[in-house]
Structure formats: structure tokens, C-alpha cells
Amino acid sequence: MKNRFNLVTVLFLCLIGVLTACEPAAQQMVSQANEPKEAGLQPLAEGSPNEPMPIVLGFSQLGTESTWRLANTRSIQDAANEAGITLLYENAEQSQEKQFEAIRSFIKQKVDVIAIAPVIEQGWESILLEVKQAGIPVIIVDRMVEMSDSSLYVTFIGSDFYEEGRKAGKYVKDKLTESSKPLGIVELKGTEGSTPSIGRGNGFREVIQARKDLVMLESAYADFTPRQGKEVMKKYLQAHGGDIRLVFSHNDDMAIGAIDAIEEYGLEPGKDIIMVSVDGTRQALEKLIEGKLNLVVECSPLLGPNLMQAVKEIMEGRSLPKRIVTPETVFTEVTAVDEVENRPY
Ligand code: AHR
């Protein structure tokens, strides 16, 4: 019994000894971690007080439907890289539901800012409320959202689609001299419910309605793709043939599809049928020079630098204008010549 008591006492004293020996080492580790490191001796950990964490931007892109869209994504990725901003990119493949999923995942990941290129205008109020409650600022890019509460986003960066439609309409009024007979127009619209389709369609009509001889024969959605542009144009030609004097296409990709359909039908695009389009891709400028397109209204996809600037300013606590409009021009067969070689998309 006495022996067992001695063994327990010895073990207890050893344990005290070990703990006492360890204490200074533990204290040393803590104090070392708090001491400023000597420059050049050890690499600084990311996010240390001397090197701020990079800004994280979650970007919900609506899809990959057109040449414009691919250039837009590239512009945003390149600009983020250059600005040292970490970009989380999600492609929604034309689905608003997928955009909601992407936005919810950005909230979970606690990004600093969320940018959204919305596929359609309606239905954003409740998801943007979720983002607001998470305390994350939102930038709307390219297309707009329809909502009563404008406090749900900081700024909208993109083109003036209504003005683009007006530019197209003004050209049509100048190009087609007044006639006693109706001059048939067909329209290739992009995605139903999307800002460019609504804005371009309204702007165009607002200008041409002043002329009674300019008659809209057909107007249908072709989703901004060359394949659907060609399909819809084929139907228009079957229904109206030579009565079509002019095509107004809401983007270059659909216009390229329509050119194919017109040539297959045996007519000359640009001559038998006047061709007006929007965007300004390299391929469209080449068609202008060939005489197969007559006018291209520019819509710039290069929104990346403006977006990164806005992200930085938000993070610095500065206030931004509610609307940042991209400056744009129009291209004809003459001005396309100077531009085509340098066109990055
Ligand atoms: O929202 C911009 C439009 O979307 C472009 O005109 C079109 O090409 C794209 O798909």
C-alpha cells in the first residue's frame, strides 16, 4: 500500500515537471506569432496586415449564346486579372434559375461584391433582397433588371439599347426613300424578356412609326444565335419572299444566319434586302465591307475595365452613379475598313 502511494506521488510530480517545462515554449510560440517579421526573412501569409486580402467578385454570366457574349466574358476575366481581383465566374446557360443558384453560392462563399448579367429583366426582386440582407453590394452588367426598389443594386453598367434601336431606325428612314407602296420590314429579336430585345425593338419602332410606308411584316425571337436567325429568316422568306425590303436583326450572329438564308433563297443580302444589325463583331464588319450588311450599330462587350473600376470604388467606400453608359458608334462599309483589323472579337 505504501509502495503504491509512493508510485502515484512520483508520477504526479513528473507530470507537474513536464507541464512546467512546456509552458515557456507555448508562451514563446504565441509571442513569436505576434512579433513583426523581419522584411525579406519570411514570406508574408496572405491576408496579413501588410498585404490585404484580394477582393473577391462573384460574376453570374447569363450564357455563351453569341460572339458578343464570349468577348464580354473574356473582357471581364482579363480585367479582373489585371486588377488583381479574384473572379468567381458562373455560366447560367440562359437559365434565370441557374443565375439564382450562382448568386446563392456567392452569398455562401461570402464574396465582397456580386456582378450579374441578367438573362431577362423580370423576377429579380426577391433574390436581390437576399443579397442585400447578406450585406453584399450588387452591380448589374450589360442587361437591366426591372424592379421598384433601386436600392437593391449599386449601379448598372452597360449600353443604351433603346438608343441603339433608334440609331437603326434613323438609318432605315434615310436609306429607304418614301414610297407610295409599303416597304416591308422583318425583325429578328433576341431573347424574349431581355433588355436588348425590349430596348432595341422599342427604339426602332419609335423612329420608324413616323413613316406610314415602313410596314413591319414580321417580328419573332431568334435567341441571338446564328442557327435560329437562319431558321426564322427562312420562314419569313417563305411567307413574304420579295416583299421583304429590310431586315432589322437585334445582333450580328442572327444577321449572319439570315444572310445564309437569303443567299440560299436566291436573293442578295445588302442589295435585294437591306440588312441592319447590332453589335459590331469582326465577322459583321467583314460582311459590311463585302456589302452583305448595310449598317451595324455598335454595342460594346468590353465592360470588364469599367466593372473592375466600380468594384474597387465600392470597396473603397466611394459612391457611384446609378447608371454607367458605354459610349458607342455605328459602322458602315466605309468606317468598317479602319476598324476591322483591330477588332478583338
Ligand atoms: O445583351 C447584349 C446582347 O446579348 C448582344 O447584343 C448579343 O449579341 C448578346 O447575346
Side-chain angles (χ1 to χ4, degrees):
M1 180 71 183
K2 196 175 175 192
N3 278 350
R4 204 180 312 151
F5 174 77
N6 283 342
L7 185 63
V8 170
T9 312
V10 168
L11 283 174
F12 177 69
L13 288 174
C14 282
L15 186 63
I16 296 280
V18 168
L19 285 177
T20 321
C22 285
E23 199 181 357
Q27 276 174 354
Q28 211 184 350
M29 273 167 64
V30 172
S31 67
Q32 264 177 6
N34 289 338
E35 261 166 27
K37 292 183 176 76
E38 252 184 82
L41 288 182
Q42 291 197 26
L44 289 173
E46 237 185 18
S48 74
N50 297 327
E51 187 189 316
M53 293 280 276
I55 299 168
V56 180
L57 170 67
F59 172 46
S60 167
Q61 177 60 288
L62 65 93
T64 53
E65 74 284 0
S66 63
T67 312
W68 190 101
R69 185 67 49 204
L70 300 178
N72 177 246
T73 299
R74 216 175 310 124
S75 165
I76 290 172
Q77 288 171 334
D78 290 351
N81 236 346
E82 247 170 62
I85 291 174
T86 303
L87 183 73
L88 307 183
Y89 164 81
E90 287 292 341
N91 168 14
E93 294 161 345
Q94 307 296 314
S95 152
Q96 188 182 36
E97 206 44 56
K98 281 194 179 170
Q99 294 208 275
F100 294 167
E101 281 167 25
I103 293 165
R104 290 201 176 102
S105 97
F106 296 149
I107 295 175
K108 264 200 196 131
Q109 294 175 77
K110 295 185 169 41
V111 300
D112 297 302
V113 181
I114 293 178
I116 306 165
V119 62
I120 54 169
E121 281 196 2
Q122 302 286 331
W124 292 93
E125 202 116 12
S126 102
I127 187 84
L128 290 192
L129 210 62
E130 287 179 38
V131 184
K132 189 179 182 178
Q133 278 154 6
I136 302 174
V138 169
I139 300 176
I140 307 292
V141 208
D142 168 29
R143 301 182 183 176
M144 195 31 183
V145 289
E146 174 70 48
M147 60 175 54
S148 50
D149 183 357
S150 65
S151 78
L152 295 179
Y153 65 91
V154 179
T155 185
F156 165 37
I157 303 172
S159 308
D160 183 341
F161 298 125
Y162 184 77
E163 193 46 41
E164 289 172 356
R166 282 177 49 82
K167 286 176 187 167
K170 281 181 197 161
Y171 173 80
V172 171
K173 265 175 60 182
D174 289 347
K175 181 79 180 172
L176 300 179
T177 42
E178 260 186 294
S179 147
S180 52
K181 291 186 199 147
L183 300 168
I185 296 175
V186 296
E187 183 178 36
L188 294 168
K189 295 187 285 187
T191 300
E192 187 168 9
S194 69
T195 317
S197 276
I198 297 168
R200 289 169 189 164
N202 289 344
F204 185 73
R205 279 170 183 71
E206 198 257 332
V207 175
I208 64 158
Q209 69 189 4
R211 284 258 308 267
K212 295 288 164 265
D213 57 334
L214 300 176
V215 177
M216 188 66 84
L217 298 174
E218 298 271 4
S219 172
Y221 295 103
D223 256 340
F224 290 118
T225 68
R227 189 180 56 78
Q228 292 198 56
K230 184 171 179 177
E231 264 170 35
V232 174
M233 190 65 215
K234 267 186 179 175
K235 287 184 191 148
Y236 289 168
L237 286 162
Q238 278 156 13
H240 303 281
D243 288 342
I244 302 173
R245 273 306 285 135
L246 185 135
V247 174
F248 173 41
S249 172
H250 286 199
N251 88 340
D252 290 343
D253 299 64
M254 293 186 295
I256 302 292
I259 287 173
D260 269 6
I262 294 167
E263 287 178 333
E264 283 176 16
Y265 187 80
L267 292 175
E268 274 192 77
K271 292 191 180 69
D272 297 324
I273 300 181
I274 306 297
M275 304 291 298
V276 177
S277 174
V278 187
D279 275 356
T281 62
R282 191 185 314 128
Q283 201 186 3
L285 298 190
E286 284 165 2
K287 295 288 178 203
L288 271 176
I289 296 165
E290 285 173 48
K292 294 184 179 184
L293 277 177
N294 304 85
L295 183 87
V296 174
V297 178
E298 187 185 27
C299 174
S300 175
L302 306 178
L303 305 179
N306 270 353
L307 174 59
M308 298 314 144
Q309 177 73 22
V311 169
K312 281 186 173 172
E313 292 194 12
I314 288 172
M315 295 305 289
E316 285 161 11
R318 293 201 224 145
S319 58
L320 287 169
K322 208 73 193 169
R323 181 76 171 98
I324 298 170
V325 185
T326 324
E328 288 159 346
T329 182
V330 294
F331 297 111
T332 61
E333 62 176 329
V334 178
T335 56
V337 175
D338 297 329
E339 198 54 40
V340 71
E341 287 306 318
N342 308 320
R343 213 69 189 155
Y345 54 92

